[in-house]
Structure formats: C-alpha cells, structure tokens
Amino acid sequence: MLKDITMGQFFPGDSLVHRLDPRTKLIMVILYIAALFTAKSYVSYLVMAAFLIISVRISTIKFKMLFKGLKPLIIVIAFTAILNLFFTTGEHVIFEVWRIKLTWEGVRTAAFMLVRLVMLIMGTFLLTYTTSPISLTDGLERLLNPLKKIKVPVHELAMMMSIAMRFIPTLVEETDKIMSAQKARGADFETGSIFQRAKALLPVMVPLFISAFRRADELAIAMESRCYHGGEGRTRMNVLRMEKRDWITLLVGVLVLALVIVLNILGL
Amino acid sequence: MSKIIKTENLVYSYQAPEGELPIRVLDGVDIEIESGTFVAVLGHNGSGKSTFAKHLNGILLPEGGTVYIEGMNTQDEKLILEIRRRIGMVFQNPDNQIVSNIVEEDVAFAPENLGYPSDDIRIRVDEALKVVGMYEYRDHAPHLLSGGQKQRIAIAGVLAMAPACVVFDEPTAMLDPKGRADVVNIIHKMRDMGTTVVLITHHMDETIDADRLVVMADGKVIMDGTPAEVFCHVEELRETRLDVPETVDILYELNKEGYDLDLKALSVEECAQEIYNHFN
Ligand SMILES: Nc1ncnc2c1ncn2[C@@H]1O[C@H](COP(=O)(O)OP(=O)(O)OP(=O)(O)O)[C@@H](O)[C@H]1O
Ligand SMILES: [Mg+2]
C-alpha cells in the first residue's frame, strides 16, 4: 500500500529528453507553463497539445503512465472545473435553477481549465519521469545559484531535498515494518471512524519519528566524517554541461511561447 | 615506524540531564597506534569505545587531554578537514551513512567535499568500488541492496578519500553471516594495502587476526597486547563481562581438567594442532 506513493518517480531511459541537462528541462517546464497560461484560443491550445504530444513521443514515456499520474489529482481537477462551470458570469444562459446559472461561457472556461490543468500536470510529470531525483536537485541548485548572493541557502536546500529523497524509501519501508508489528499486536488501521483510525496511527508515528531523529543524528556524523562542510569549495563528479541539443531545445521552447503570444495578439 | 594516532590522558563526559552529575565515559585513555597496523578494540557495552572512536576524527573534542593525528591536534579547527581526510570512519548502520540515491554518487561524496577535480573523483570512485567489489552496482539505488552490500558502499565512500587509517565502529553488528564475511575480507585487504585499521567489535573471532588487541572497560584501557597475549587472561576478561574466542575457551576448559595446553592457539587450525600435539 505505502509502496505506491513513490514520490518523484523516475523511469530511466536513453531518449533525447532523458539526456537533456536538467536545467534545460526545468526551464522548458517553466516556459511550457507560462505558454499554457497565456493560451486563450483553440488554435493555441492545439499548438500546446502538439508540443506536449511530440515531447512525450520523443521521451518514449507511455501516455498510459502519464494518465496514471493524474489519478490521485482527479478530485482537484474536477473541483476546479466545476467551480469554473458555475461561477463564471456570462450572457448565454443554458439553464438556471434557483440561483445557480449555467452559461456557455462557464462551459468554455471550465473546459479550458480542465485541459490546461491536465496538460500542466502531464508536462511536469514528463520532467520527473525522465530526470533522476539527484540530477533534478543538481539542476535546481545550479539554476538558483545566483540567489546565493542575496543569502538564500541554495546549497543547503538542495542537499536537504536530495537527502529527503534518499530517505523516503527507507522510511516507507520502516513504516511498513512498524505497522506490521503493531498489527501483529492487534492494532486495527482499516476500520472505525476517521478519528479512530488516526488514533490507531499514533503508535506508528511515535517510533517512526524517534527512529528518524536517530537516523538524522547518525547521518550528520557520517557526513561530517566524510569531510562535509557545506557547499563551499565542494566540487562535483558529474558536472552538468549544456550541449548543443540543450540550446536548441530551449530555442524551441521560447519559439512556442512566442507563437502562443502572437496568436493571442492576432486574436486567433 | 611513525605513530598515526596518539592520545594523551584523554578524558570525556557526556552532558547529563539537569541536576545529575555528568557521566565520565573516557577516563584517561593513553594510546599510540603505529602506522600500518591492524588494531582491534574490545570492551563491554557502554565501555566508551564509540566515544573514543569519535575523538579520532574530531567529531567529539576532548574534555581533558589531547588527541594527535599524525602530529595534528584535533582541537585545532584549521586542521579538522586534514584530520578527517586521513581518518575514515565506518559506522554500524549502513543505512544511516549513505547520502545519495545512486551508489557512485554516494561514493563520490567525500572527494567532492574535499574539492577534488571531477576526473580525479571519477578515478577514486571507480577504484574504491573495485576494492569493495561493488563496481558492477555503481548506478544502482542503495536502498535496493542488501545490508552487507550497503556496508561495502559505505566503506567505499570512505576509501575514496584515500585515508591513512580507517576506524570501524562495529561494522558487522547489523549484518548477516555472508555480509559479515565480506566486510571482514575487505578489512584484511585494506590492511594488506598498508592502511591502518582500528576495528571496534563484539565478535571475538574478528579480532584474532589483529596485530594488536586493546581491551577497554569503564573508559580505561585495561589490556593491550597481541590477541594471543590478551586472550590468555581468561579470568580477567570474564570479570569485565567479556568472553574469549571459542578456541581459547576449549583449551582453557581442558586446562581446568588438569591438562597443560598453550592458550595462545587462536585459530581453529592452531587449536586443533595444539590438542593433537598434546595427546600424541
Ligand atoms: N550522546 C550521548 N549522550 C549521553 N550519553 C551518552 C551518549 N552517547 C553515549 N553515551 C553514554 O556513554 C557511555 C559510553 O557509550 P559508548 O557509545 O562510547 O559505548 P560503547 O563502548 O561504544 O558501547 P557499545 O558496545 O554498546 O557500542 C554509555 O554509558 C552511554 O550511555
Ligand atoms: Mg558503540
């Protein structure tokens, strides 16, 4: 059960998308989101959809996997769509019951919002599916490096993120073990009211936290023993390097955004 | 031979809860370790072995006395990286020593911290992984490996610094017999390569190949000599809640029955030979 929440899933591969520098991919996602939120017309949505589909095809990631990723977010997406459906003001009323009005404008906005969210999530998932957590944090650290000048602890944040990702599987495994141990003693996590179930989880959380603190303590000592002293003077074995393909990809990203803006101006 | 480690009257107490006296864990430890030797450390639970180990690379600083690593005082803040580069540490729980989701990235952690150029790091990482026999696993995720394999990764992570000495604090305590044997083999290999090894352990049989055996009790060194010399003192060891290897135990029990066997036969072969010789 717990094994299903593998955050930041990564499917190793050797496609162009996999081989791009993580910084390129991060910037592409930003450009892509910006374009999605600029897009207003059917034509621009078509452009965005084409861009997404082509990217996914190049990445060799199966659409099925991307849709699977959507599942846990269905409620959020549906909620947003319904909100847009009934709370958009407009003239072309389809029907009106009591004070709830359904308008053509509402349907349009809701549909756009739905498509926009689905595409947004699929785009970001394409990033996490094709980029290993470690190169993702590396890329993030390098991208945010200029912020060090204004005293943002970029290195520390990146280190925290990568350690968190390193320990998620370990802690998930441990939670499973503790839960089995408690079940063997008659604990019941599946029945009862939400309140009762939450209460049953307490004997799981306490040992988990105690062990997590002990781990943190030991890890800190092990890191110091291996000469860790912050980001200063630290080098990397695998240095990120922007290749020609990265610059070309970024150019494509900028062009797509520009195209969407032009389409907006032309009113298409 | 030069002394890599030297402690002088080392004293340390942990902070006690409000209102209680601090507990003195190290109570005047004087020890000198020669470069290139394999030293095993035994002692009952809570005798201060881990506390002693943590003084050797400046994780803990002495409350009294001094610790010198190749002549460098661990209390000198400017030397701390130099000291940690020379003294590697391997701890009990492999899970809590691994920092990265990829084996080779983890092994690269120490040389990266030391600021070596990337091609140099690459060479060190590959070499360290080959020494521990985990080169084929370089792009695996550590959490999918067995305990023994994880511990070998942790050792590689230390070896990548090319330390002069590696301190092992109960490295086999959480491993299955296969994992234990692998780690013990690596320790022997390191000794053969000329690395100084300090091995803290509760397994008697891991100590019999050491050049020297140090026994700690209540924060003091109570015995120090070759394993054969130390294990002769069966009574004394038992008084400090320690045991002796099974081989020594057999010979000792036979001696109690009135035989006159030499307790210095530590390995199984030597022990068998000793008994065989005696009864011939
Ligand atoms: N962080 C700490 N704070 C307070 N007391 C501690 C701390 N760490 C250890 N101690 C105490 O110091 C004493 C010596 O501990 P130490 O870990 O050095 O023993 P050890 O010989 O390594 O034992 P073991 O064989 O169980 O590993 C113990 O009584 C322990 O309870
Ligand atoms: Mg200990």
Side-chain angles (χ1 to χ4, degrees):
Chain A
M1 171 193 88
L2 283 164
K3 296 243 158 58
D4 298 338
I5 18 169
T6 34
M7 222 186 68
Q9 258 191 74
F10 166 54
F11 301 100
D14 199 32
S15 73
L16 173 66
V17 181
H18 282 92
R19 275 178 290 144
L20 285 176
D21 190 290
R23 287 171 293 181
T24 309
K25 285 189 265 189
L26 280 163
I27 296 174
M28 283 303 277
V29 166
I30 295 168
L31 289 174
Y32 172 78
I33 293 175
L36 265 183
F37 279 89
T38 325
K40 288 209 175 68
S41 62
Y42 296 111
V43 183
S44 29
Y45 270 96
L46 274 179
V47 170
M48 294 308 294
F51 176 68
L52 177 67
I53 291 169
I54 293 172
S55 312
V56 174
R57 288 319 280 271
I58 296 176
S59 75
T60 66
I61 297 283
K62 297 215 168 52
F63 273 101
K64 210 173 70 191
M65 293 316 296
L66 288 172
F67 281 116
K68 237 187 206 165
L70 281 175
K71 246 191 223 159
L73 297 163
I74 277 179
I75 296 176
V76 181
I77 298 170
F79 187 70
T80 320
I82 290 170
L83 225 53
N84 274 287
L85 198 59
F86 292 107
F87 291 88
T88 312
T89 49
E91 327 257 277
H92 306 85
V93 181
I94 301 171
F95 67 83
E96 194 171 347
V97 183
W98 186 48
R99 289 163 85 182
I100 298 169
K101 258 197 295 192
L102 186 65
T103 63
W104 270 117
E105 285 83 353
V107 173
R108 201 180 118 99
T109 328
F112 272 151
M113 193 43 104
L114 188 80
V115 173
R116 187 181 278 169
L117 278 178
V118 167
M119 282 172 64
L120 184 141
I121 294 165
M122 284 169 82
T124 17
F125 275 12
L126 190 61
L127 171 73
T128 59
Y129 282 3
T130 58
T131 320
S132 74
I134 198 139
S135 66
L136 203 57
T137 41
D138 263 6
L140 216 53
E141 180 175 359
R142 290 288 299 276
L143 269 184
L144 299 180
N145 220 12
L147 295 183
K148 271 186 193 158
K149 288 213 185 71
I150 54 164
K151 298 261 153 54
V152 179
V154 177
H155 166 77
E156 286 73 10
L157 288 174
M159 184 56 88
M160 273 164 58
M161 249 174 82
S162 64
I163 288 179
M165 282 190 274
R166 147 75 186 87
F167 276 92
I168 284 171
T170 311
L171 291 178
V172 166
E173 201 176 295
E174 186 154 23
T175 313
D176 260 350
K177 252 188 227 160
I178 299 174
M179 279 177 91
S180 310
Q182 304 287 24
K183 269 187 207 155
R185 289 174 202 154
D188 180 6
F189 301 111
E190 267 105 41
T191 56
S193 67
I194 288 192
F195 182 71
Q196 280 170 325
R197 272 189 275 173
K199 216 172 137 191
L201 275 179
L202 199 69
V204 175
M205 297 316 280
V206 173
L208 190 66
F209 268 78
I210 290 173
S211 129
F213 279 116
R214 202 199 54 235
R215 281 182 195 281
D217 216 32
E218 286 183 19
L219 183 71
I221 290 175
M223 284 171 71
E224 276 190 36
S225 296
R226 284 161 76 186
C227 300
Y228 182 67
H229 57 287
E232 214 172 304
R234 189 169 142 79
T235 51
R236 300 307 308 268
M237 175 171 71
N238 295 319
V239 185
L240 295 179
R241 213 176 290 124
M242 294 291 275
E243 309 274 351
K244 208 161 129 200
R245 55 169 180 255
D246 292 298
W247 298 114
I248 294 172
T249 310
L250 286 177
L251 187 67
V252 171
V254 171
L255 285 178
V256 169
L257 179 59
L259 181 60
V260 171
I261 293 173
V262 169
L263 285 172
N264 264 358
I265 293 170
L266 294 180
L268 278 170
Chain B
M1 254 202 261
S2 64
K3 307 261 185 291
I4 181 157
I5 293 168
K6 183 171 174 196
T7 72
E8 279 172 357
N9 195 25
L10 176 56
V11 173
Y12 189 82
S13 326
Y14 283 106
Q15 215 65 41
E18 200 84 17
E20 283 173 46
L21 284 174
I23 325 135
R24 181 156 286 200
V25 177
L26 293 180
D27 194 9
V29 176
D30 279 293
I31 228 173
E32 286 185 359
I33 292 175
E34 315 250 297
S35 233
T37 50
F38 172 15
V39 180
V41 180
L42 279 177
H44 60 79
N45 290 112
S47 56
K49 304 181 298 293
S50 298
T51 310
F52 171 70
K54 284 181 190 144
H55 276 87
L56 299 181
N57 70 346
I59 293 290
L60 294 177
L61 295 176
E63 176 190 324
T66 29
V67 178
Y68 295 104
I69 304 301
E70 288 186 350
M72 295 180 284
N73 190 331
T74 57
Q75 264 155 321
D76 189 341
E77 250 173 72
K78 289 191 294 292
L79 296 175
I80 202 74
L81 277 188
E82 278 301 301
I83 289 171
R84 289 189 182 154
R85 186 169 70 77
R86 282 177 173 74
I87 309 285
M89 288 267 168
V90 177
F91 299 96
Q92 190 178 65
N93 189 338
D95 262 325
N96 301 349
Q97 300 174 66
I98 293 174
V99 290
S100 175
N101 308 47
I102 301 172
V103 165
E104 64 171 19
E105 291 273 352
D106 183 75
V107 178
F109 186 68
E112 286 180 342
N113 288 332
L114 289 163
Y116 294 140
S118 35
D119 2 343
D120 186 24
I121 299 177
R122 178 94 257 164
I123 296 168
R124 285 165 176 268
V125 167
D126 288 353
E127 221 160 79
L129 280 171
K130 280 176 190 158
V131 170
V132 300
M134 290 295 288
Y135 184 68
E136 293 74 36
Y137 292 86
R138 61 190 176 283
D139 48 12
H140 281 229
H143 69 95
L144 300 177
L145 301 176
S146 75
Q149 289 174 320
K150 281 189 238 182
Q151 192 63 294
R152 277 146 73 189
I153 299 301
I155 296 174
V158 165
L159 289 183
M161 302 194 285
C165 167
V166 179
V167 179
F168 291 87
D169 191 354
E170 296 185 43
T172 59
M174 298 180 74
L175 307 184
D176 58 14
K178 166 80 172 66
R180 238 186 90 190
D182 287 339
V183 168
V184 169
N185 278 338
I186 292 169
I187 291 174
H188 286 165
K189 204 162 160 184
M190 283 167 55
R191 185 253 292 269
D192 295 340
M193 293 188 311
T195 310
T196 312
V197 173
V198 177
L199 172 65
I200 297 168
T201 183
H202 281 291
H203 293 286
M204 303 298 149
D205 46 332
E206 288 172 12
T207 66
I208 57 181
D209 294 314
D211 301 317
R212 179 173 162 200
L213 178 57
V214 174
V215 181
M216 288 182 70
D218 304 319
K220 289 194 177 73
V221 172
I222 54 162
M223 282 184 231
D224 189 348
T226 64
E229 284 162 12
V230 170
F231 285 129
C232 289
H233 305 277
V234 179
E235 297 288 314
E236 269 178 69
L237 282 169
R238 290 200 170 144
E239 259 166 46
T240 63
R241 286 176 280 148
L242 281 175
D243 218 336
V244 293
E246 277 171 2
T247 48
V248 178
D249 192 39
I250 290 174
L251 298 173
Y252 179 74
E253 290 300 323
L254 283 171
N255 279 0
K256 265 210 258 175
E257 300 295 318
Y259 296 99
D260 181 28
L261 292 156
D262 187 5
L263 291 184
K264 290 203 164 103
L266 288 183
S267 71
V268 176
E269 291 81 28
E270 284 171 335
C271 175
Q273 193 65 45
E274 175 71 23
I275 296 173
Y276 178 82
N277 289 348
H278 198 80
F279 287 96
N280 259 353

